[in-house]
Amino acid sequence: MAKDDSLKRRSFLKAAGGATAAATLAGCTGGDGEGEATTTEEMGGTTEETEETTESQSSGGTLTFARGNDSGSLDFQNTTSGEDAKVTNQIYDGLIEFKPGKTSLKAGLATDWSVDGKTVTLTLREGVKFHNGDEFTAEDYVATYRRFVDKDYKHYPGQDYASSYGPYALGDWIDTVEKNGEYEVSITLNKPYAPILKNLAMFCSKVHSLSAIEEYGKDLSKNPVGTGPFEFDSWDTGNQRIRLTKNEEYWGEEKAKVDEVVFTAVGSNTSRAQTLLSGGADIIDGIGAQSSKIINNSDKAKLLEIPGINVGYMAFNMAKRKEFRNRKVRRAINYAVNTKAIVETIFKGIASEASQPIPASVMGYNENIDPYGHDKKKAKKLLEEAGYGDGFEFELATFKNPRAYNPSPLQAAQTVKSNLSEVGITVNINQQPFNPFLDYTDNYKHDACFLGWMTDNGDPDNFYYALLHPGVDRSEVPDGKDWINPDNFDSVNTLNAAAWANTEFMKLTEEAQASYETSKRKPKYQKAGQIFHDEAPWVALNHAKALRGVSNDVEGFTVPPIGGPFLNLVSLNR
């Protein structure tokens, strides 16, 4: 989903509706470190310590998973979309994986690992077969890594193809990846980097077959070849249906229990809920307030929920609009927008009001920060002081398709429009389908925009650095400015849709990355949260629950705070 100038704009990272996506890409409170950063114990892991196994029982049949959008690509290196990751996570494995229903780590294609300063050593699993029959070795991982980030590699697919998750998750932090024999890999980091193990468990860090890379090239987007519990069968793009079949040769203890998985797209939340109740789907996601009621009132399905590790927000594009470069204007809009009403009347019961980028379950949450609150008098006073007492006009770009962090984007946008009209600001809503919308915001064409994020790894870095660091050196930020012009840089983090560049904030997030000690990282993120709140590059809207509708015929499904869905664990009782 990274486009032509993505290395200029989104070469650093592209969100996915999330995503991710991505999307994607997506912890919750819990008793075993869920929501915490990588712990000292996770710096070294073994199969015995991290892998959960249960007896596999096959139920057979076809499991149908209905979602809001079809996939755009089935190559995890070609996307930042969470919709794509739902499918690729069934087909591919990573060296390290997230435990189902948790944010802690387990062994994947690596059986154990260790981190010593800037060196990560991983012992690989032997006897694993790709779906094309090839044996998995260290050579496959080295090729996978180089294809993602090495522009000099003969199989590098090009800047218009390789998603910017490559630099963000791996390339910017890694100096070299080398094989030590057939079944050991050594990763040398540029500097100590706390989230590295969790980055290796992200959806974008799965493993390709070297021979598949050589055979398919960019066509891996339509012909995925992994080691996962399901194999790719077919993709009916016209009807937005992807069919996977059980991998009978899967290396793991948890072989798939169903024969097939079908991913299908149903755009409307309520239509998707009705599809679940009519038997047209077994599991659905993308659930809003109304569709959650439909499921709750039914005796044919149940609503599963956990606190989500996500954030929904409205970003101010300082690179485009001079009004937003004035902190008083940004704070005024924060006071004018009634986020409490949006959460309580539009996102009824499925979200909580946000005061900072991370939810309370994530390490570094600052309990001393409260939401701005709805205060029109303060908003008007700040606008007067900023020289905009007569107001101004701007565009609010939003997506049409419901997202977990914003299940009713048009209603939320209309509330913002109404709130701001009361303080003299005119808002013009520009609503677009999700993929064109992402391209639009990637290229900083928006004045302001709705966006959101579902964590990839549960680490605070995955919010603070990923969403709010501009991706440039602090020394390159012009003196006296707290924003950058993306056109002046070869590579920027376009997830930072505000083009915000507060050097004190940047310094804190960079320092927090470089320590493996939670006690040192936590206060830095708490301080970063306060700077964010005071400087207000966004209106922080909400943290949404993670909701899934599940048929009564389904057994073994767990709502994943990160990764997944873990459909190999699911069986059908019919």
Side-chain angles (χ1 to χ4, degrees), residues 105-119:
L105 302 175
K106 59 173 280 187
L109 295 178
T111 57
D112 56 45
W113 55 84
S114 64
V115 179
D116 183 9
K118 296 191 293 183
T119 302

Side-chain angles (χ1 to χ4, degrees), residues 370-386:
D370 294 320
Y372 269 79
H374 185 48
D375 193 324
K376 289 186 288 184
K377 288 184 179 180
K378 284 186 178 179
K380 290 179 178 179
K381 183 174 184 294
L382 286 167
L383 287 173
E384 289 279 359
E385 292 174 358

Side-chain angles (χ1 to χ4, degrees), residues 195-248:
I196 184 59
L197 293 181
K198 289 197 170 184
N199 281 14
L200 289 175
M202 286 164 52
F203 85 94
C204 64
S205 300
K206 305 296 185 180
V207 182
H208 280 303
S209 156
L210 171 57
S211 67
I213 290 174
E214 294 172 337
E215 178 179 357
Y216 291 110
K218 292 182 181 181
D219 285 342
L220 275 174
S221 63
K222 300 176 183 178
N223 300 278
V225 179
T227 60
F230 291 97
E231 300 181 44
F232 175 68
D233 180 83
S234 61
W235 187 0
D236 181 351
T237 56
N239 292 307
Q240 302 185 76
R241 292 173 68 86
I242 297 172
R243 185 178 301 275
L244 310 179
T245 58
K246 178 180 180 179
N247 176 12
E248 299 287 355

Side-chain angles (χ1 to χ4, degrees), residues 44-319:
T46 67
T47 306
E48 290 74 24
E49 292 171 345
T50 61
E51 185 168 28
E52 294 180 342
T53 60
T54 59
E55 184 180 355
S56 178
Q57 296 178 348
S58 178
S59 68
T62 299
L63 176 74
T64 301
F65 191 111
R67 60 220 178 117
N69 298 282
D70 193 18
S71 293
S73 174
L74 298 182
D75 180 355
F76 56 85
Q77 294 183 336
N78 176 231
T79 181
T80 61
S81 168
E83 296 299 348
D84 297 351
K86 291 169 191 173
V87 181
T88 59
N89 284 347
Q90 315 308 314
I91 301 170
Y92 289 97
D93 297 309
L95 300 182
I96 303 173
E97 301 282 351
F98 290 108
K99 291 183 180 180
K102 302 177 185 291
T103 62
S104 50
L105 302 175
K106 59 173 280 187
L109 295 178
T111 57
D112 56 45
W113 55 84
S114 64
V115 179
D116 183 9
K118 296 191 293 183
T119 302
V120 183
T121 304
L122 302 107
T123 301
L124 307 185
R125 191 179 299 276
E126 299 184 30
V128 175
K129 297 285 188 181
F130 284 98
H131 299 155
N132 62 4
D134 290 350
E135 184 181 2
F136 162 67
T137 69
E139 192 173 31
D140 295 295
Y141 183 73
V142 173
T144 298
Y145 169 78
R146 294 192 65 190
R147 179 180 187 258
F148 210 3
V149 303
D150 185 354
K151 298 180 181 65
D152 295 326
Y153 185 47
K154 63 181 178 180
H155 298 301
Y156 180 70
Q159 297 176 4
D160 62 338
Y161 183 90
S163 94
S164 48
Y165 262 99
Y168 167 70
L170 302 171
D172 284 349
W173 322 113
I174 293 176
D175 185 23
T176 60
V177 173
E178 299 175 326
K179 65 173 187 175
N180 299 328
E182 291 293 288
Y183 300 105
E184 185 171 287
V185 168
S186 292
I187 298 174
T188 302
L189 305 174
N190 294 318
K191 63 178 182 179
Y193 178 62
I196 184 59
L197 293 181
K198 289 197 170 184
N199 281 14
L200 289 175
M202 286 164 52
F203 85 94
C204 64
S205 300
K206 305 296 185 180
V207 182
H208 280 303
S209 156
L210 171 57
S211 67
I213 290 174
E214 294 172 337
E215 178 179 357
Y216 291 110
K218 292 182 181 181
D219 285 342
L220 275 174
S221 63
K222 300 176 183 178
N223 300 278
V225 179
T227 60
F230 291 97
E231 300 181 44
F232 175 68
D233 180 83
S234 61
W235 187 0
D236 181 351
T237 56
N239 292 307
Q240 302 185 76
R241 292 173 68 86
I242 297 172
R243 185 178 301 275
L244 310 179
T245 58
K246 178 180 180 179
N247 176 12
E248 299 287 355
E249 305 300 321
Y250 183 54
W251 59 268
E253 294 290 335
E254 287 289 0
K255 292 179 173 59
K257 297 175 174 59
V258 296
D259 297 325
E260 295 181 318
V261 169
V262 172
F263 286 89
T264 187
V266 180
S268 162
N269 286 358
T270 53
S271 296
R272 204 174 314 113
Q274 295 292 355
T275 300
L276 173 68
L277 302 188
S278 68
D282 300 299
I283 302 171
I284 68 169
D285 61 9
I287 298 169
Q290 182 60 35
S291 52
S292 66
K293 288 182 180 179
I294 292 173
I295 298 168
N296 271 328
N297 291 335
S298 169
D299 60 358
K300 296 182 179 180
K302 50 188 173 291
L303 184 71
L304 303 183
E305 64 177 59
I306 61 172
I309 304 185
N310 57 56
V311 64
Y313 57 93
M314 183 176 85
F316 304 113
N317 185 0
M318 300 179 207

